[in-house]
Amino acid sequence: MTATTTRPAADSGADQRKRQNPLTFLATFGGQNLSLVGALALVLVLFGVLNENYLTLDNMQVIAEAATITGLLAVVQTVVIICGGLDISVGSQAGVASVVSAMAFTGAGSNAFVGMAAAVGVGLLIGVLNGVIIVYGRVNPTIATLAGLAAYKGLAQLISNGRAQGYVLNNDVFVFLGRGKIAGLPVMVWILILTCVAVHLLLKYTDIGRNIYAIGGNDTAARLAGININKYLIAVYALIGTVAAVAGILLTARTGSGQPTSGSEGLELKAITAAALGGAALRGGKGGIGGTLLAVALLGALENGLTVQGINSFWQNVAQGALLVIAVVIQQRRSGERAVGLPT
């Protein structure tokens, strides 16, 4: 009886200390997101002051459209990072899907649905292949997808002879995807929003999502709990391949042709940076779609602002690399892990 009566009191005291500590509150209820909101507001105000055209509705739509493809890849990158993996090949996958969608479209007599179905099928196949290599080949996800980055980029160049393929802007479906609007918002943005909502619901409110967090948090405990880790890993990489294919289709619709590398180059770095900035712990088990979406908006606003100001585009890569380092440093400090090479 003594243990029964004293334990709730101890728990209550711990809860009270948490409520009294504002840092604990922010860490639990969105400190990362609040930081991203503040950074986004700062970027918008800064470039808005520097250029009067930056905060116009038209430019905001340009930012949203440009960030859509990165956003789709960042969302699924967040899922695989939560699961304890990583996919460096998402940009190359989008490039393959872009070329396949345009070539299948042309080959099927300008049938947009055949082109899109072919791209999604190839994306799914690539995703499953990545998962099988990682699970049954016992290859580290970073190494496996780094190999995929080169291989799928080469594949896209081989099947396209290194040139843009097809022309899709004579088709109403592709024009609608790339340039249409619903309720004032570009269709591409709606696709990103719906994807974010679907993945958020999957992660937060289903057993599948809880198992993904469990695998990334402690794969040994997850295995002992009866979770089929191999099945989940293959399924997660299949999801990445499918969404990367959708991103490739939107790239085709936006540019008007299948792009083997142009438009998809560097997307993997943007996706990983957005996921890390959004709070996805690279060691797995932690992250969320809301933070990732805010990070995508921040990267898009920063990239557009630098472009509007006429700053050399190479500085955009410098900024992305710096933001990725900052995100990882923040994660390491919060986790309390010992710095490499330094005494405890």
Side-chain angles (χ1 to χ4, degrees):
M1 288 297 293
T2 304
T4 305
T5 55
T6 56
R7 184 174 180 178
D11 291 342
S12 177
D15 292 340
Q16 185 176 3
R17 286 192 298 272
K18 287 181 180 180
R19 287 194 295 270
Q20 292 173 349
N21 188 340
L23 295 179
T24 303
F25 175 84
L26 290 176
T28 305
F29 296 99
Q32 181 90 9
N33 290 354
L34 289 175
S35 300
L36 288 172
V37 170
L40 177 59
L42 180 61
V43 168
L44 292 175
V45 170
L46 174 62
F47 286 114
V49 170
L50 293 175
N51 192 307
E52 61 181 9
N53 295 319
Y54 180 75
L55 291 177
T56 61
L57 180 59
D58 288 342
N59 194 54
M60 290 298 102
Q61 289 193 356
V62 168
I63 293 174
E65 289 179 356
T68 297
I69 294 173
T70 300
L72 287 171
L73 299 180
V75 166
V76 287
Q77 190 72 252
T78 299
V79 176
V80 75
I81 289 176
I82 291 172
C83 200
L86 191 69
D87 195 335
I88 306 176
S89 67
V90 288
S92 297
Q93 292 180 49
V96 172
S98 177
V99 170
V100 169
S101 66
M103 294 180 69
F105 165 79
T106 303
S110 298
N111 189 317
F113 297 104
V114 171
M116 290 187 288
V120 171
V122 169
L124 177 61
L125 181 62
I126 288 175
V128 171
L129 177 61
N130 280 345
V132 168
I133 291 172
I134 291 166
V135 170
Y136 295 107
R138 298 184 179 181
V139 181
N140 181 282
T142 302
I143 301 301
T145 56
L146 181 61
L149 169 68
Y152 304 139
K153 179 179 179 180
L155 177 62
Q157 292 171 327
L158 280 173
I159 62 179
S160 66
N161 291 320
R163 299 190 300 269
Q165 294 293 312
Y167 180 75
V168 302
L169 294 183
N170 57 354
N171 181 270
D172 291 340
V173 176
F174 275 108
V175 170
F176 177 71
L177 288 176
R179 305 185 181 185
K181 293 183 179 180
I182 299 175
L185 279 179
V187 173
M188 295 177 63
V189 176
W190 279 113
I191 292 173
L192 174 59
I193 291 173
L194 292 175
T195 302
C196 289
V197 170
V199 175
H200 174 75
L201 294 176
L202 174 72
L203 288 176
K204 295 298 184 182
Y205 300 105
T206 69
D207 288 339
I208 293 174
R210 285 185 281 272
N211 289 344
I212 288 174
Y213 277 102
I215 292 170
N218 189 324
D219 60 346
T220 301
R223 184 178 289 107
L224 293 175
I227 298 174
N228 189 329
I229 296 178
N230 292 349
K231 179 178 72 175
Y232 270 88
L233 284 174
I234 293 174
V236 165
Y237 280 96
L239 174 65
I240 289 179
T242 302
V243 176
V246 174
I249 292 169
L250 293 181
L251 178 61
T252 299
R254 189 164 181 254
T255 60
S257 59
Q259 303 292 331
T261 54
S262 177
S264 60
E265 195 84 42
L267 286 176
E268 53 283 327
L269 175 60
K270 291 182 181 179
I272 294 170
T273 301
L277 276 175
L282 296 179
R283 65 184 181 278
K286 181 182 178 183
I289 302 305
T292 297
L293 194 57
L294 282 171
V296 168
L298 173 60
L299 290 175
L302 179 61
E303 181 177 341
N304 181 268
L306 293 173
T307 301
V308 168
Q309 288 302 115
I311 297 174
N312 192 315
S313 61
F314 296 143
W315 282 107
Q316 297 175 12
N317 294 331
V318 174
Q320 290 172 25
L323 286 172
L324 180 56
V325 171
I326 291 170
V328 174
V329 168
I330 291 173
Q331 286 184 15
Q332 290 295 104
R333 302 295 291 182
R334 287 181 172 175
S335 68
E337 294 182 12
R338 181 177 67 87
V340 177
L342 294 179
T344 55

